Amino acid sequence: MTTVRRLVRQAWRSCTRAFWGLDRALGGLERPTRTQQLAARRPFAVGVGTTASAAVLLGVANFDSVDTVDDVLTLGGGGLGFGLVFGLTALGERARQRRLQRLGLWEPPVRD
Protein backbone atom coordinates (compact mmCIF):
# COMPACT_ATOMS: atom_id res chain seq x y z
CA MET A 1 0.00 0.00 0.00
CA THR A 2 2.85 2.39 0.67
CA THR A 3 4.18 2.05 -2.88
CA VAL A 4 0.79 3.02 -4.27
CA ARG A 5 0.67 6.05 -2.00
CA ARG A 6 4.18 7.01 -3.01
CA LEU A 7 3.34 6.69 -6.70
CA VAL A 8 0.18 8.77 -6.28
CA ARG A 9 2.13 11.40 -4.36
CA GLN A 10 4.80 11.52 -7.08
CA ALA A 11 2.16 11.80 -9.80
CA TRP A 12 0.41 14.60 -7.90
CA ARG A 13 3.69 16.48 -7.47
CA SER A 14 4.47 16.07 -11.16
CA CYS A 15 1.07 17.48 -12.09
CA THR A 16 1.56 20.35 -9.66
CA ARG A 17 4.99 21.18 -11.07
CA ALA A 18 3.60 21.04 -14.60
CA PHE A 19 0.70 23.33 -13.65
CA TRP A 20 2.95 25.96 -12.06
CA GLY A 21 5.41 25.68 -14.96
CA LEU A 22 2.61 26.38 -17.42
CA ASP A 23 1.39 29.20 -15.21
CA ARG A 24 4.85 30.81 -15.21
CA ALA A 25 5.08 30.45 -19.00
CA LEU A 26 1.75 32.24 -19.37
CA GLY A 27 2.79 35.14 -17.14
CA GLY A 28 1.60 33.82 -13.81
CA LEU A 29 4.14 35.80 -11.79
CA GLU A 30 2.53 39.13 -12.76
CA ARG A 31 0.32 41.09 -10.39
CA PRO A 32 -3.37 40.15 -10.63
CA THR A 33 -5.82 42.68 -12.04
CA ARG A 34 -8.84 43.88 -10.08
CA THR A 35 -11.10 41.54 -12.01
CA GLN A 36 -8.85 38.60 -11.18
CA GLN A 37 -8.85 39.58 -7.52
CA LEU A 38 -12.66 39.79 -7.52
CA ALA A 39 -12.99 36.39 -9.20
CA ALA A 40 -10.53 34.79 -6.78
CA ARG A 41 -12.44 36.20 -3.80
CA ARG A 42 -15.77 34.76 -4.98
CA PRO A 43 -15.27 31.70 -7.22
CA PHE A 44 -18.68 30.24 -6.35
CA ALA A 45 -20.43 33.47 -7.37
CA VAL A 46 -18.48 33.48 -10.64
CA GLY A 47 -19.59 29.92 -11.37
CA VAL A 48 -23.24 30.53 -10.49
CA GLY A 49 -23.38 33.81 -12.41
CA THR A 50 -21.82 32.22 -15.47
CA THR A 51 -24.17 29.24 -15.24
CA ALA A 52 -27.25 31.44 -15.12
CA SER A 53 -26.17 33.81 -17.87
CA ALA A 54 -25.00 31.00 -20.18
CA ALA A 55 -28.22 29.05 -19.67
CA VAL A 56 -30.30 32.13 -20.46
CA LEU A 57 -28.19 32.94 -23.50
CA LEU A 58 -28.43 29.39 -24.80
CA GLY A 59 -32.18 29.40 -24.14
CA VAL A 60 -32.71 32.63 -26.06
CA ALA A 61 -30.54 31.45 -28.94
CA ASN A 62 -32.45 28.16 -29.19
CA PHE A 63 -35.90 29.45 -28.26
CA ASP A 64 -37.59 28.11 -31.40
CA SER A 65 -36.18 24.60 -31.05
CA VAL A 66 -36.97 24.06 -27.34
CA ASP A 67 -39.94 21.70 -27.36
CA THR A 68 -39.48 19.16 -24.59
CA VAL A 69 -38.17 18.96 -21.07
CA ASP A 70 -35.15 17.13 -22.45
CA ASP A 71 -34.23 20.22 -24.48
CA VAL A 72 -34.47 22.39 -21.38
CA LEU A 73 -32.25 19.98 -19.44
CA THR A 74 -29.71 20.07 -22.26
CA LEU A 75 -29.64 23.87 -22.10
CA GLY A 76 -29.25 23.72 -18.32
CA GLY A 77 -26.42 21.23 -18.70
CA GLY A 78 -24.68 23.51 -21.17
CA GLY A 79 -24.97 26.43 -18.77
CA LEU A 80 -23.71 24.24 -15.94
CA GLY A 81 -20.71 23.24 -18.05
CA PHE A 82 -19.82 26.88 -18.67
CA GLY A 83 -20.25 27.70 -14.98
CA LEU A 84 -18.08 24.77 -13.93
CA VAL A 85 -15.25 25.84 -16.23
CA PHE A 86 -15.38 29.46 -15.07
CA GLY A 87 -15.71 28.52 -11.38
CA LEU A 88 -12.73 26.18 -11.53
CA THR A 89 -10.74 28.85 -13.35
CA ALA A 90 -11.55 31.27 -10.52
CA LEU A 91 -10.34 28.66 -8.00
CA GLY A 92 -7.11 28.34 -9.99
CA GLU A 93 -6.72 32.10 -9.85
CA ARG A 94 -7.17 31.97 -6.09
CA ALA A 95 -4.39 29.37 -5.88
CA ARG A 96 -2.15 31.54 -8.07
CA GLN A 97 -2.68 34.57 -5.85
CA ARG A 98 -1.94 32.55 -2.72
CA ARG A 99 1.26 31.36 -4.36
CA LEU A 100 2.26 34.94 -5.21
CA GLN A 101 1.71 35.87 -1.56
CA ARG A 102 3.71 32.87 -0.35
CA LEU A 103 6.60 33.79 -2.67
CA GLY A 104 6.47 37.41 -1.49
CA LEU A 105 5.85 38.78 -4.98
CA TRP A 106 2.47 40.40 -4.23
CA GLU A 107 0.45 41.52 -1.26
CA PRO A 108 -3.31 41.93 -1.64
CA PRO A 109 -4.71 45.38 -0.91
CA VAL A 110 -6.19 45.79 2.55
CA ARG A 111 -9.98 45.99 2.35
CA ASP A 112 -11.79 48.25 4.77
Side-chain angles (χ1 to χ4, degrees), residues 20 23 26-41 89-109:
W20 290 123
D23 184 61
L26 294 174
L29 295 179
E30 296 177 4
R31 298 173 56 95
T33 63
R34 286 185 182 196
T35 307
Q36 289 172 328
Q37 291 176 23
L38 179 69
R41 254 184 269 145
T89 303
L91 278 174
E93 179 61 29
R94 178 185 278 189
R96 183 182 82 88
Q97 290 179 18
R98 284 183 182 162
R99 182 171 184 264
L100 290 176
Q101 283 179 301
R102 192 174 57 246
L103 294 175
L105 298 174
W106 174 72
E107 279 299 318

Short mmCIF file of all heavy atoms in Angstrom, two decimals, residues 20 23 26-41 89-109:
data_model
loop_
_atom_site.label_atom_id
_atom_site.label_comp_id
_atom_site.label_asym_id
_atom_site.label_seq_id
_atom_site.Cartn_x
_atom_site.Cartn_y
_atom_site.Cartn_z
N TRP A 20 2.29 24.69 -12.38
CA TRP A 20 2.95 25.96 -12.06
C TRP A 20 3.94 26.34 -13.14
O TRP A 20 4.18 27.52 -13.38
CB TRP A 20 3.61 25.88 -10.69
CG TRP A 20 2.62 25.85 -9.57
CD1 TRP A 20 2.52 24.90 -8.62
CD2 TRP A 20 1.57 26.79 -9.30
NE1 TRP A 20 1.48 25.18 -7.77
CE2 TRP A 20 0.88 26.34 -8.17
CE3 TRP A 20 1.15 27.96 -9.91
CZ2 TRP A 20 -0.20 27.02 -7.64
CZ3 TRP A 20 0.06 28.63 -9.38
CH2 TRP A 20 -0.60 28.16 -8.26
N ASP A 23 1.82 27.90 -15.73
CA ASP A 23 1.39 29.20 -15.21
C ASP A 23 2.50 30.24 -15.36
O ASP A 23 2.24 31.36 -15.78
CB ASP A 23 0.99 29.05 -13.74
CG ASP A 23 0.44 30.34 -13.17
OD1 ASP A 23 -0.59 30.81 -13.69
OD2 ASP A 23 1.05 30.86 -12.21
N LEU A 26 2.84 31.37 -18.93
CA LEU A 26 1.75 32.24 -19.37
C LEU A 26 1.71 33.57 -18.63
O LEU A 26 0.75 34.32 -18.76
CB LEU A 26 0.41 31.51 -19.20
CG LEU A 26 0.21 30.29 -20.09
CD1 LEU A 26 -1.09 29.57 -19.73
CD2 LEU A 26 0.20 30.69 -21.55
N GLY A 27 2.73 33.86 -17.85
CA GLY A 27 2.79 35.14 -17.14
C GLY A 27 2.18 35.10 -15.77
O GLY A 27 1.64 36.10 -15.30
N GLY A 28 2.24 33.98 -15.10
CA GLY A 28 1.60 33.82 -13.81
C GLY A 28 2.28 34.54 -12.66
O GLY A 28 1.73 34.61 -11.57
N LEU A 29 3.46 35.09 -12.88
CA LEU A 29 4.14 35.80 -11.79
C LEU A 29 3.84 37.30 -11.82
O LEU A 29 4.40 38.07 -11.05
CB LEU A 29 5.65 35.56 -11.86
CG LEU A 29 6.08 34.11 -11.63
CD1 LEU A 29 7.59 33.98 -11.76
CD2 LEU A 29 5.61 33.62 -10.28
N GLU A 30 2.93 37.72 -12.70
CA GLU A 30 2.53 39.13 -12.76
C GLU A 30 1.46 39.41 -11.71
O GLU A 30 0.78 38.51 -11.24
CB GLU A 30 1.99 39.46 -14.15
CG GLU A 30 3.02 39.32 -15.24
CD GLU A 30 2.43 39.58 -16.60
OE1 GLU A 30 1.24 39.96 -16.68
OE2 GLU A 30 3.16 39.41 -17.58
N ARG A 31 1.32 40.69 -11.37
CA ARG A 31 0.32 41.09 -10.39
C ARG A 31 -1.08 40.85 -10.95
O ARG A 31 -1.34 41.12 -12.11
CB ARG A 31 0.48 42.56 -10.05
CG ARG A 31 1.82 42.88 -9.43
CD ARG A 31 1.98 44.39 -9.26
NE ARG A 31 0.89 44.97 -8.48
CZ ARG A 31 0.95 45.18 -7.17
NH1 ARG A 31 2.04 44.89 -6.51
NH2 ARG A 31 -0.07 45.69 -6.54
N PRO A 32 -2.01 40.37 -10.14
CA PRO A 32 -3.37 40.15 -10.63
C PRO A 32 -4.12 41.48 -10.81
O PRO A 32 -3.90 42.44 -10.07
CB PRO A 32 -4.02 39.31 -9.54
CG PRO A 32 -3.21 39.56 -8.32
CD PRO A 32 -1.82 39.90 -8.78
N THR A 33 -4.99 41.51 -11.80
CA THR A 33 -5.82 42.68 -12.04
C THR A 33 -6.97 42.70 -11.02
O THR A 33 -7.18 41.75 -10.28
CB THR A 33 -6.40 42.66 -13.46
OG1 THR A 33 -7.25 41.51 -13.58
CG2 THR A 33 -5.29 42.60 -14.50
N ARG A 34 -7.71 43.79 -11.01
CA ARG A 34 -8.84 43.88 -10.08
C ARG A 34 -9.89 42.82 -10.36
O ARG A 34 -10.50 42.26 -9.46
CB ARG A 34 -9.49 45.26 -10.17
CG ARG A 34 -8.68 46.33 -9.53
CD ARG A 34 -9.44 47.63 -9.55
NE ARG A 34 -8.62 48.67 -8.96
CZ ARG A 34 -9.08 49.82 -8.57
NH1 ARG A 34 -10.36 50.10 -8.71
NH2 ARG A 34 -8.28 50.70 -8.04
N THR A 35 -10.12 42.56 -11.65
CA THR A 35 -11.10 41.54 -12.01
C THR A 35 -10.65 40.17 -11.54
O THR A 35 -11.46 39.37 -11.04
CB THR A 35 -11.31 41.52 -13.54
OG1 THR A 35 -11.62 42.84 -13.98
CG2 THR A 35 -12.40 40.57 -13.94
N GLN A 36 -9.38 39.88 -11.67
CA GLN A 36 -8.85 38.60 -11.18
C GLN A 36 -8.97 38.50 -9.67
O GLN A 36 -9.27 37.43 -9.13
CB GLN A 36 -7.40 38.43 -11.62
CG GLN A 36 -7.24 38.18 -13.10
CD GLN A 36 -5.80 38.22 -13.54
OE1 GLN A 36 -4.98 38.95 -12.97
NE2 GLN A 36 -5.48 37.44 -14.56
N GLN A 37 -8.72 39.59 -8.98
CA GLN A 37 -8.85 39.58 -7.52
C GLN A 37 -10.30 39.34 -7.11
O GLN A 37 -10.57 38.57 -6.18
CB GLN A 37 -8.37 40.91 -6.94
CG GLN A 37 -6.88 41.12 -7.07
CD GLN A 37 -6.46 42.50 -6.58
OE1 GLN A 37 -7.15 43.13 -5.79
NE2 GLN A 37 -5.33 42.97 -7.07
N LEU A 38 -11.24 39.97 -7.82
CA LEU A 38 -12.66 39.79 -7.52
C LEU A 38 -13.07 38.34 -7.77
O LEU A 38 -13.77 37.73 -6.95
CB LEU A 38 -13.51 40.73 -8.36
CG LEU A 38 -15.01 40.63 -8.18
CD1 LEU A 38 -15.39 41.14 -6.80
CD2 LEU A 38 -15.73 41.39 -9.26
N ALA A 39 -12.64 37.78 -8.88
CA ALA A 39 -12.99 36.39 -9.20
C ALA A 39 -12.40 35.42 -8.19
O ALA A 39 -13.04 34.44 -7.80
CB ALA A 39 -12.52 36.04 -10.61
N ALA A 40 -11.18 35.68 -7.74
CA ALA A 40 -10.53 34.79 -6.78
C ALA A 40 -11.20 34.88 -5.40
O ALA A 40 -11.22 33.91 -4.66
CB ALA A 40 -9.05 35.14 -6.65
N ARG A 41 -11.76 36.04 -5.09
CA ARG A 41 -12.44 36.20 -3.80
C ARG A 41 -13.77 35.45 -3.77
O ARG A 41 -14.19 34.98 -2.72
CB ARG A 41 -12.70 37.68 -3.51
CG ARG A 41 -11.78 38.23 -2.46
CD ARG A 41 -12.13 39.66 -2.14
NE ARG A 41 -11.33 40.49 -3.03
CZ ARG A 41 -11.73 41.63 -3.56
NH1 ARG A 41 -12.91 42.09 -3.31
NH2 ARG A 41 -10.94 42.30 -4.34
N THR A 89 -11.77 27.88 -12.97
CA THR A 89 -10.74 28.85 -13.35
C THR A 89 -10.55 29.89 -12.24
O THR A 89 -9.42 30.28 -11.94
CB THR A 89 -11.12 29.54 -14.67
OG1 THR A 89 -11.29 28.54 -15.67
CG2 THR A 89 -10.05 30.52 -15.11
N ALA A 90 -11.64 30.32 -11.63
CA ALA A 90 -11.55 31.27 -10.52
C ALA A 90 -10.83 30.63 -9.32
O ALA A 90 -10.05 31.30 -8.63
CB ALA A 90 -12.94 31.76 -10.11
N LEU A 91 -11.07 29.35 -9.07
CA LEU A 91 -10.34 28.66 -8.00
C LEU A 91 -8.85 28.57 -8.32
O LEU A 91 -8.00 28.71 -7.43
CB LEU A 91 -10.91 27.26 -7.78
CG LEU A 91 -12.15 27.16 -6.93
CD1 LEU A 91 -12.67 25.73 -6.91
CD2 LEU A 91 -11.88 27.64 -5.53
N GLY A 92 -8.52 28.34 -9.57
CA GLY A 92 -7.11 28.34 -9.99
C GLY A 92 -6.47 29.70 -9.80
O GLY A 92 -5.31 29.81 -9.40
N GLU A 93 -7.23 30.74 -10.07
CA GLU A 93 -6.72 32.10 -9.85
C GLU A 93 -6.49 32.35 -8.37
O GLU A 93 -5.52 32.99 -7.98
CB GLU A 93 -7.70 33.12 -10.42
CG GLU A 93 -7.27 34.55 -10.22
CD GLU A 93 -5.95 34.90 -10.88
OE1 GLU A 93 -5.59 34.29 -11.90
OE2 GLU A 93 -5.25 35.80 -10.35
N ARG A 94 -7.36 31.83 -7.53
CA ARG A 94 -7.17 31.97 -6.09
C ARG A 94 -5.87 31.28 -5.66
O ARG A 94 -5.10 31.82 -4.87
CB ARG A 94 -8.35 31.37 -5.34
CG ARG A 94 -8.19 31.43 -3.84
CD ARG A 94 -9.31 30.74 -3.13
NE ARG A 94 -10.45 31.63 -3.04
CZ ARG A 94 -11.53 31.37 -2.32
NH1 ARG A 94 -11.63 30.24 -1.66
NH2 ARG A 94 -12.51 32.23 -2.26
N ALA A 95 -5.63 30.09 -6.20
CA ALA A 95 -4.39 29.37 -5.88
C ALA A 95 -3.17 30.14 -6.37
O ALA A 95 -2.15 30.20 -5.68
CB ALA A 95 -4.41 27.97 -6.50
N ARG A 96 -3.27 30.75 -7.54
CA ARG A 96 -2.15 31.54 -8.07
C ARG A 96 -1.86 32.73 -7.17
O ARG A 96 -0.70 33.03 -6.87
CB ARG A 96 -2.48 32.02 -9.49
CG ARG A 96 -1.35 32.79 -10.14
CD ARG A 96 -1.74 33.27 -11.52
NE ARG A 96 -2.51 34.49 -11.48
CZ ARG A 96 -1.97 35.71 -11.48
NH1 ARG A 96 -0.67 35.86 -11.52
NH2 ARG A 96 -2.73 36.77 -11.45
N GLN A 97 -2.90 33.41 -6.70
CA GLN A 97 -2.68 34.57 -5.85
C GLN A 97 -2.11 34.17 -4.50
O GLN A 97 -1.26 34.88 -3.94
CB GLN A 97 -3.99 35.34 -5.69
CG GLN A 97 -4.40 36.03 -6.97
CD GLN A 97 -5.69 36.79 -6.85
OE1 GLN A 97 -6.16 37.10 -5.74
NE2 GLN A 97 -6.30 37.11 -7.97
N ARG A 98 -2.54 33.04 -3.97
CA ARG A 98 -1.94 32.55 -2.72
C ARG A 98 -0.46 32.23 -2.91
O ARG A 98 0.36 32.48 -2.04
CB ARG A 98 -2.68 31.30 -2.23
CG ARG A 98 -4.00 31.60 -1.61
CD ARG A 98 -4.64 30.34 -1.09
NE ARG A 98 -5.94 30.62 -0.52
CZ ARG A 98 -6.84 29.72 -0.30
NH1 ARG A 98 -6.61 28.45 -0.58
NH2 ARG A 98 -8.01 30.04 0.21
N ARG A 99 -0.14 31.68 -4.06
CA ARG A 99 1.26 31.36 -4.36
C ARG A 99 2.09 32.63 -4.47
O ARG A 99 3.22 32.71 -3.98
CB ARG A 99 1.36 30.56 -5.65
CG ARG A 99 2.77 30.15 -5.99
CD ARG A 99 2.74 29.17 -7.16
NE ARG A 99 4.06 28.68 -7.44
CZ ARG A 99 4.85 29.20 -8.38
NH1 ARG A 99 4.41 30.18 -9.13
NH2 ARG A 99 6.05 28.72 -8.58
N LEU A 100 1.54 33.67 -5.12
CA LEU A 100 2.26 34.94 -5.21
C LEU A 100 2.50 35.53 -3.82
O LEU A 100 3.57 36.08 -3.56
CB LEU A 100 1.47 35.93 -6.08
CG LEU A 100 1.41 35.63 -7.57
CD1 LEU A 100 0.51 36.64 -8.27
CD2 LEU A 100 2.80 35.64 -8.17
N GLN A 101 1.53 35.40 -2.94
CA GLN A 101 1.71 35.87 -1.56
C GLN A 101 2.79 35.06 -0.86
O GLN A 101 3.64 35.62 -0.16
CB GLN A 101 0.41 35.74 -0.78
CG GLN A 101 -0.60 36.80 -1.07
CD GLN A 101 -1.84 36.57 -0.26
OE1 GLN A 101 -2.48 35.53 -0.36
NE2 GLN A 101 -2.19 37.55 0.56
N ARG A 102 2.74 33.75 -1.02
CA ARG A 102 3.71 32.87 -0.35
C ARG A 102 5.13 33.15 -0.83
O ARG A 102 6.07 33.12 -0.05
CB ARG A 102 3.33 31.42 -0.62
CG ARG A 102 4.07 30.43 0.23
CD ARG A 102 3.56 29.01 0.06
NE ARG A 102 3.61 28.55 -1.32
CZ ARG A 102 2.56 28.26 -2.08
NH1 ARG A 102 1.35 28.37 -1.59
NH2 ARG A 102 2.69 27.84 -3.32
N LEU A 103 5.28 33.48 -2.12
CA LEU A 103 6.60 33.79 -2.67
C LEU A 103 7.04 35.22 -2.35
O LEU A 103 8.19 35.58 -2.60
CB LEU A 103 6.61 33.57 -4.19
CG LEU A 103 6.42 32.13 -4.66
CD1 LEU A 103 6.32 32.10 -6.18
CD2 LEU A 103 7.57 31.27 -4.18
N GLY A 104 6.14 36.04 -1.83
CA GLY A 104 6.47 37.41 -1.49
C GLY A 104 6.49 38.34 -2.68
O GLY A 104 7.07 39.42 -2.62
N LEU A 105 5.84 37.97 -3.77
CA LEU A 105 5.85 38.78 -4.98
C LEU A 105 4.68 39.76 -5.04
O LEU A 105 4.68 40.70 -5.83
CB LEU A 105 5.79 37.89 -6.23
CG LEU A 105 6.98 36.95 -6.41
CD1 LEU A 105 6.74 36.02 -7.59
CD2 LEU A 105 8.25 37.75 -6.60
N TRP A 106 3.66 39.54 -4.19
CA TRP A 106 2.47 40.40 -4.23
C TRP A 106 1.76 40.32 -2.89
O TRP A 106 1.68 39.28 -2.27
CB TRP A 106 1.54 39.91 -5.35
CG TRP A 106 0.24 40.60 -5.40
CD1 TRP A 106 0.00 41.87 -5.81
CD2 TRP A 106 -1.04 40.06 -5.03
NE1 TRP A 106 -1.34 42.15 -5.74
CE2 TRP A 106 -1.99 41.05 -5.28
CE3 TRP A 106 -1.45 38.82 -4.55
CZ2 TRP A 106 -3.34 40.87 -5.02
CZ3 TRP A 106 -2.80 38.64 -4.31
CH2 TRP A 106 -3.72 39.64 -4.54
N GLU A 107 1.27 41.46 -2.45
CA GLU A 107 0.45 41.52 -1.26
C GLU A 107 -0.90 42.08 -1.65
O GLU A 107 -0.97 43.11 -2.32
CB GLU A 107 1.08 42.43 -0.19
CG GLU A 107 2.17 41.77 0.61
CD GLU A 107 1.67 40.57 1.38
OE1 GLU A 107 0.57 40.63 1.97
OE2 GLU A 107 2.37 39.56 1.40
N PRO A 108 -1.99 41.42 -1.26
CA PRO A 108 -3.31 41.93 -1.64
C PRO A 108 -3.59 43.25 -0.93
O PRO A 108 -3.10 43.48 0.20
CB PRO A 108 -4.27 40.85 -1.17
CG PRO A 108 -3.53 40.12 -0.11
CD PRO A 108 -2.08 40.21 -0.47
N PRO A 109 -4.36 44.12 -1.57
CA PRO A 109 -4.71 45.38 -0.91
C PRO A 109 -5.58 45.12 0.31
O PRO A 109 -6.40 44.19 0.32
CB PRO A 109 -5.46 46.16 -1.98
CG PRO A 109 -5.93 45.13 -2.96
CD PRO A 109 -4.95 44.01 -2.89
#
